[in-house]
Amino acid sequence: MKIGVIGLGFVGLSLTSVLASKGFDVVGIDVNEERCRKISDGVSPFFEPDLEKTLKNGLKKKLKVKNDISLVQDCDLIFVTVGTPQNRTGAIDLSIIKKAMISLGKSIQKSKKQHIILIKSTVVPGTMKDVILPILENNSKKKAEKDFGLISNPEFLQESTAIKDTKFPHAVVLGGYRTKFMKKIEKFFTKLHPKTPIIVTNHQTAEMIKYANNSFLATKISFINQLSNICQKIPGANIDDVAKTIGLDPRIGGLFLNAGPGYGGSCLPKDMKALIKFAKITGVKPTLLNAVEDVNVKQLEEIILIAKKKLGVLESKKITILGTSFKPNTDDIRDSIAIELIKKLLKRKVKVTVHDPKAIENTKNVFKNKINYTKSIQDAILGSHCVIIMTQWKQYQKLSNNEFKKMKKKLIIDCRRMLAEKQLDADYYAIGLGKE
Ligand code: NAD
Ligand code: UGA
């Protein structure tokens, strides 16, 4: 069996590498030629733990990487993993996937194979039936479910654990019609993930499952963030003890209750916005979803408020941001809350210095020479009026009075309570901890 993967980003490259490392005959396809070249050389275009090792393993076997979509002609299974970003209004932008579907349709027009196309990209309910299917049929001059299979196969991996999640997903969702194509795919996934539940449903439900998943995770985060703000006003209260204890109730569950500066990343914010827009189209007022978003936006204001309260006018103050990636163990800064914070500080003419173990290059691409970048945490802190810990990189856990002694004013805002147990000779504020 030959497998094609269209789009070699976090999802596509993880899938390509895992399948190839297992010995499948895989061709990875991307429009970005430079990206293809790097990947062919065994170099990942972004940092993701274990990805490069898995990729190199795959390249030793049957993996090929090319900037040539016509190679799908030889593939039995074709996974589509291109981006589905948001447009300026927050609604889903389908232009990339539409373009990819036109090329894919044209590429399979003359092929004699009965391809099965699996859409992994996140798309709002109705997209498969109303957008993707007609584009593929028109451009291939073939009929879906007769000449080729079309299946919704949403992805649930998290960046920073993408390889593990690709190898061991918690569920496999297959949306579409119960045809011979579906049977073949069920067999494929049963063999690939023998212990994983496989849910077969229709397209629109599969599409909705993906949004339900991400919006529920966002809801949990905004819930705990709202409670953390209340805790902060109660002397001695501790949000981590609250989260840990409610998490023991199996009806609640302990994950995604880590209070912080708000959820960021390339998916939760954009998928929340897309679902809100979509709900409105259906005529449903998304009251709860709006509140989740609102809490998320306001969380950042809380941080700025503390800085303003303690430093007075922010203009010309030197503020150090520790962590610009949207979470630890990634260099991804897409929709990172730290990046938002820096933008807001720059508007207030703050002198910003940043440190991040992996994301400095990506951060430079955004801010160029508007801010300072340091390799060491010590250099970042030197002469600063305020340090804000944004990302929970384990390196920051080691910080102590020794590093902070060279600050101009010792104000520390710790968004992840990483230094809460330390006796710091500083004005220390942590999200979710009520000052005694
Ligand atoms: P990405 O932006 O990192 O990568 C997409 C890749 O597709 C890019 O390399 C781009 O060059 C390529 N591409 C664009 N058009 C193409 C075309 N016509 N032909 C071939 N390649 C093309 O995206 P991502 O983060 O991997 O996400 C992909 C999809 O999966 C999105 O819909 C996203 O919402 C969803 N998703 C992402 C994650 C995640 O953690 N990143 C997790 C689950 C689901
Ligand atoms: C998220 C989902 O977790 C994945 O299941 C999904 O597949 C993916 O989006 C997607 O659709 O792209 P990811 O974007 O990698 O994965 O990041 P998360 O681990 O969910 O974190 C998102 C944000 O929430 C980060 O800013 C993180 O710091 C924050 N977060 C997460 C918290 O503030 N507290 C928590 O308890 C958990």
Side-chain angles (χ1 to χ4, degrees):
M1 174 185 292
K2 189 155 175 125
I3 301 175
V5 179
I6 303 175
L8 300 176
F10 283 85
V11 174
L13 187 53
S14 302
L15 179 68
T16 300
S17 307
V18 167
L19 290 175
S21 70
K22 282 178 183 283
F24 284 99
D25 191 353
V26 185
V27 55
I29 297 158
D30 201 288
V31 278
N32 185 331
E33 213 174 325
E34 162 75 11
R35 181 165 279 217
C36 289
R37 209 170 311 125
K38 265 189 164 176
I39 297 171
S40 301
D41 289 342
V43 179
S44 169
F46 43 82
F47 171 72
E48 177 63 40
D50 292 333
L51 175 60
E52 228 167 65
K53 193 176 76 194
T54 317
L55 167 66
K56 285 192 172 118
N57 201 347
L59 286 166
K60 279 188 212 141
K61 299 183 178 172
K62 293 184 203 149
L63 173 60
K64 292 275 165 298
V65 179
K66 283 263 156 62
N67 165 27
D68 179 3
I69 199 159
S70 71
L71 295 175
V72 293
Q73 283 173 34
D74 298 330
C75 297
D76 303 280
L77 307 188
I78 303 166
F79 288 94
V80 176
T81 58
V82 300
T84 46
Q86 51 182 307
N87 67 20
R88 250 187 268 130
T89 72
I92 191 164
D93 175 358
L94 292 173
S95 57
I96 297 174
I97 196 162
K98 280 182 182 167
K99 228 170 149 182
M101 291 307 95
I102 294 172
S103 328
L104 174 57
K106 286 186 175 144
S107 299
I108 61 167
Q109 192 180 356
K110 295 214 172 81
S111 134
K112 297 233 155 38
K113 265 191 188 292
Q114 293 233 308
H115 306 279
I116 305 180
I117 299 166
L118 297 107
I119 306 293
K120 279 206 155 300
S121 303
T122 302
V123 290
V124 291
T127 307
M128 277 293 261
K129 279 187 170 173
D130 302 339
V131 182
I132 293 177
L133 186 144
I135 295 181
L136 284 172
E137 286 189 339
N138 287 341
N139 288 281
S140 66
K141 313 272 184 274
K142 291 183 175 186
K143 279 278 327 134
E145 309 313 336
K146 181 175 156 278
D147 306 319
F148 65 92
L150 184 60
I151 290 171
S152 304
N153 177 221
E155 176 57 55
F156 301 98
L157 68 75
Q158 276 176 272
E159 288 179 28
S160 81
T161 53
I163 293 300
K164 180 174 99 357
D165 296 346
T166 304
K167 284 183 179 164
F168 309 104
H170 68 268
V172 170
V173 175
L174 302 174
Y177 299 97
R178 287 169 197 265
T179 57
K180 60 177 179 185
F181 301 111
M182 183 64 90
K183 272 204 192 117
K184 213 167 161 185
I185 284 302
E186 263 187 278
K187 235 191 214 162
F188 170 79
F189 277 113
T190 308
K191 222 166 147 197
L192 189 65
H193 306 302
K195 292 194 180 123
T196 306
I198 296 178
I199 293 91
V200 179
T201 182
N202 55 35
H203 284 303
Q204 53 278 33
T205 309
E207 292 165 326
M208 191 61 194
I209 288 169
K210 177 62 195 170
Y211 283 94
N213 217 95
N214 273 2
S215 59
F216 191 74
L217 294 174
T219 304
K220 269 187 118 174
I221 299 169
S222 277
F223 169 81
I224 206 69
N225 282 344
Q226 178 120 82
L227 291 205
S228 80
N229 294 342
I230 300 173
C231 278
Q232 233 165 280
K233 303 283 187 284
I234 311 170
N238 183 325
I239 192 63
D240 286 329
D241 287 348
V242 172
K244 209 166 36 192
T245 314
I246 63 169
L248 293 174
D249 185 332
R251 293 168 300 176
I252 296 174
L255 299 177
F256 275 67
L257 290 176
N258 184 11
Y263 57 80
S266 70
C267 288
L268 294 195
K270 78 141 166 106
D271 290 348
M272 278 298 292
K273 287 189 190 84
L275 183 58
I276 287 170
K277 285 277 173 192
F278 180 75
K280 286 180 186 156
I281 294 169
T282 66
V284 173
K285 205 169 158 198
T287 322
L288 176 63
L289 301 175
N290 275 330
V292 169
E293 265 266 291
D294 197 36
V295 168
N296 202 50
V297 171
K298 297 226 166 84
Q299 198 64 0
L300 189 53
E301 288 166 18
E302 285 286 319
I303 300 164
I304 298 174
L305 216 65
I306 300 174
K308 260 167 63 184
K309 215 156 115 191
K310 301 308 291 183
L311 297 176
V313 182
L314 292 182
E315 184 171 341
S316 300
K317 297 284 183 335
K318 186 181 168 192
I319 295 186
T320 304
I321 306 296
L322 296 183
T324 56
S325 58
F326 84 98
K327 66 175 183 181
N329 296 318
T330 179
D331 61 1
D332 196 350
I333 58 162
R334 292 180 288 179
D335 265 340
S336 165
I337 303 290
I339 299 295
E340 274 313 299
L341 174 63
I342 296 168
K343 285 181 182 162
K344 285 190 190 299
L345 293 177
L346 285 178
K347 273 197 188 139
R348 291 175 166 83
K349 300 199 165 59
V350 169
K351 291 182 178 154
V352 177
T353 299
V354 299
H355 174 273
D356 190 286
K358 294 282 178 198
I360 285 298
E361 283 315 309
N362 285 338
T363 311
K364 278 183 184 168
N365 289 338
V366 177
F367 295 109
K368 312 277 189 287
N369 61 1
K370 289 194 190 117
I371 62 173
N372 301 308
Y373 308 89
T374 61
K375 282 212 171 92
S376 82
I377 307 174
Q378 277 88 340
D379 286 349
I381 292 173
L382 193 74
S384 178
H385 292 95
C386 170
V387 168
I388 308 180
I389 303 178
M390 288 299 288
T391 316
Q392 206 162 1
W393 284 101
K394 66 176 188 310
Q395 288 86 330
Y396 302 147
Q397 198 98 51
K398 294 195 191 123
L399 288 169
S400 64
N401 279 324
N402 204 24
E403 283 81 24
F404 295 123
K405 71 180 175 217
K406 288 188 179 149
M407 287 178 74
K408 208 169 242 169
K409 189 171 173 18
K410 292 185 192 170
L411 173 64
I412 301 165
I413 303 174
D414 183 351
C415 296
R416 296 292 183 179
R417 300 162 302 287
M418 297 186 80
L419 308 176
E421 302 292 312
K422 306 209 169 156
Q423 296 301 318
L424 292 179
D425 169 28
D427 203 359
Y428 177 77
Y429 286 82
I431 283 190
L433 299 184
K435 241 175 159 15
E436 302 229 46

